[in-house]
Amino acid sequence: MKYSKPTIYDPNFLPNNVYSGVPSWLNLSVAECKEDLEGLDFVVSGVPWEGGCTIGGYSSTTEGPKGIRSVSIRYTGFLPDFNLDSFDYLKVADFGDVACQNGSYDFTFKQIRERIATILDAGAMPLTFGGDHGIALPIVSEIAKRHPKRVGILHFDAHLDNYACFGDDLYSRCSPFYQMYQDPNMDPSKIVHIGIRGPRNHQEEFNNAQKFGANVILGREVKENGWKASIDKAIELAFKDTDFVYVTICSDALDAAYMPQGPQDMGGLTSYELCMMVHEAGLAGAKGFDFVEIYPDTNSLQTAAHNACWAALYYLNGYAERKKNGGK
């Protein structure tokens, strides 16, 4: 693999395609085999998966990775906010999509686990675009195998996603954290749910978080106390006695005004608050990231996909600043 940094200013721009007509994320170099992962800091993967749809029918999360990659070619890694280009300090490549088989959790989650294992074995960190939020379970549980009881989670969401099941579905998008709570390699007290709010929650979810000892920072708390105090609190909780902290973002952590192609939940984070908070997470040393639950369509400006790119780039910039300053 010939490695190159992303740029949007090359007049001879030719996209690196991960699939026909779909550019790699930020037009980054494309990793075609596990040998190409050596020496990388982060590896981008798409997981075009939708399990049981908890809102009925089909929500188009399977189109998420394609939508995010397609809009990403407008961006570089430079943020004037911090006068730093992530790609001056980080090597990142796009490894394409994880193989998914609609309707089969067994097949798809096995493929996700194998992808994450390959990335970790290469000494890199995963940067994943979904797909529905169910994909967080195989990602996190694969990481936890390598760091038993020492994995922290920063979970941005409107909902706790910790139902015991949805009907007879144990692995739906509303249940991954219930499964994480019970994973023998996880310590639920190191999980922090951030931005929780709204009438699509149920008492059962709060009872489960309390039962297993998970931490909850309400959306109301973020607004009343400020994003900086809130993420500082979350980082203190998630990083205590851990080796690996992972960031997982459901799109509805954002207010519906900032997420028109996603679940419609009001009273949420602004895009600024989310970007600043994940930048702090990267700066603190969080070692992986996913953004899930966008519903791309063809009749809009794809705001949701752009939000995913911005959040990922702010997270990477924070990690790059950490590396610039000598952190690992």
Side-chain angles (χ1 to χ4, degrees):
M1 176 184 68
K2 183 179 179 182
Y3 183 77
S4 60
K5 290 172 53 178
T7 177
I8 56 174
Y9 299 110
D10 183 355
N12 300 311
F13 170 82
L14 291 173
N16 293 316
N17 288 331
V18 288
Y19 306 105
S20 177
V22 181
S24 64
W25 189 60
L26 303 179
N27 201 40
L28 288 165
S29 302
V30 176
E32 297 182 359
C33 59
K34 63 181 181 180
E35 287 75 21
D36 288 343
L37 307 185
E38 298 297 328
L40 296 178
D41 295 291
F42 286 90
V43 175
V44 176
S45 298
V47 185
W49 163 258
E50 179 159 39
C53 185
T54 58
I55 59 174
Y58 167 70
S59 67
S60 79
T61 60
T62 54
E63 299 299 307
K66 178 181 178 181
I68 292 165
R69 287 188 176 106
S70 295
V71 304
S72 74
I73 57 173
R74 299 181 63 182
Y75 302 122
T76 68
F78 175 73
L79 294 179
D81 321 38
F82 307 100
N83 192 23
L84 186 143
D85 189 326
S86 303
F87 299 101
D88 285 342
Y89 300 92
L90 302 176
K91 291 186 71 176
V92 185
D94 194 328
F95 202 20
D97 284 352
V98 173
C100 296
Q101 186 178 87
N102 289 337
S104 175
Y105 285 108
D106 289 343
F107 175 87
T108 303
F109 282 18
K110 179 174 183 291
Q111 295 296 314
I112 295 171
R113 290 177 182 276
E114 290 180 357
R115 170 64 61 90
I116 297 303
T118 297
I119 293 169
L120 296 175
D121 289 347
M125 293 169 277
L127 187 76
T128 309
F129 297 119
D132 80 30
H133 212 163
I135 70 170
L137 172 62
I139 294 172
V140 169
S141 61
E142 192 62 35
I143 293 168
K145 288 179 183 178
R146 292 160 166 76
H147 307 278
K149 304 292 186 178
R150 296 186 65 84
V151 174
I153 305 294
L154 295 171
H155 168 216
F156 294 85
D157 205 320
H159 316 104
L160 290 161
D161 287 356
N162 64 2
Y163 282 107
C165 59
F166 183 76
D168 60 357
D169 187 348
L170 298 176
Y171 303 106
S172 76
R173 66 185 80 197
C174 64
S175 298
F177 288 91
Y178 189 85
Q179 301 299 327
M180 288 184 211
Y181 292 167
Q182 300 192 98
D183 188 314
N185 294 317
M186 287 294 295
D187 177 353
S189 71
K190 295 176 172 59
I191 297 175
V192 188
H193 304 282
I194 306 163
I196 307 304
R197 66 192 194 280
R200 290 205 298 132
N201 287 280
H202 295 270
Q203 188 68 55
E204 176 188 342
E205 297 176 273
F206 272 77
N207 292 345
N208 284 337
Q210 186 173 43
K211 173 184 175 181
F212 288 97
N215 304 281
V216 179
I217 297 177
L218 298 171
R220 179 172 60 83
E221 294 180 61
V222 178
K223 297 299 184 180
E224 292 179 357
N225 299 332
W227 68 264
K228 186 63 166 62
S230 299
I231 192 60
D232 285 349
K233 176 182 176 181
I235 286 171
E236 181 179 358
L237 292 166
F239 277 79
K240 184 179 179 181
D241 300 324
T242 54
D243 301 323
F244 197 114
V245 172
Y246 184 80
V247 177
T248 178
I249 304 172
C250 179
S251 68
D252 59 32
L254 289 165
D255 187 277
Y258 300 88
M259 187 50 57
Q261 298 89 29
Q264 298 297 284
D265 289 277
M266 314 306 163
L269 302 180
T270 66
S271 56
Y272 174 80
E273 289 168 335
L274 181 61
C275 285
M276 291 299 107
M277 292 173 88
V278 297
H279 183 271
E280 291 293 314
L283 186 58
K287 297 179 180 177
F289 173 102
D290 70 50
F291 198 111
V292 300
E293 297 285 350
I294 72 167
Y295 308 159
D297 60 50
T298 58
N299 298 313
S300 72
L301 296 175
Q302 299 291 10
T303 304
H306 286 286
N307 269 314
C309 290
W310 279 61
L313 286 166
Y314 273 77
Y315 161 70
L316 287 176
N317 198 270
Y319 198 93
E321 184 174 338
R322 175 184 178 84
K323 189 172 182 181
K324 176 186 176 183
N325 294 335
K328 296 182 179 179

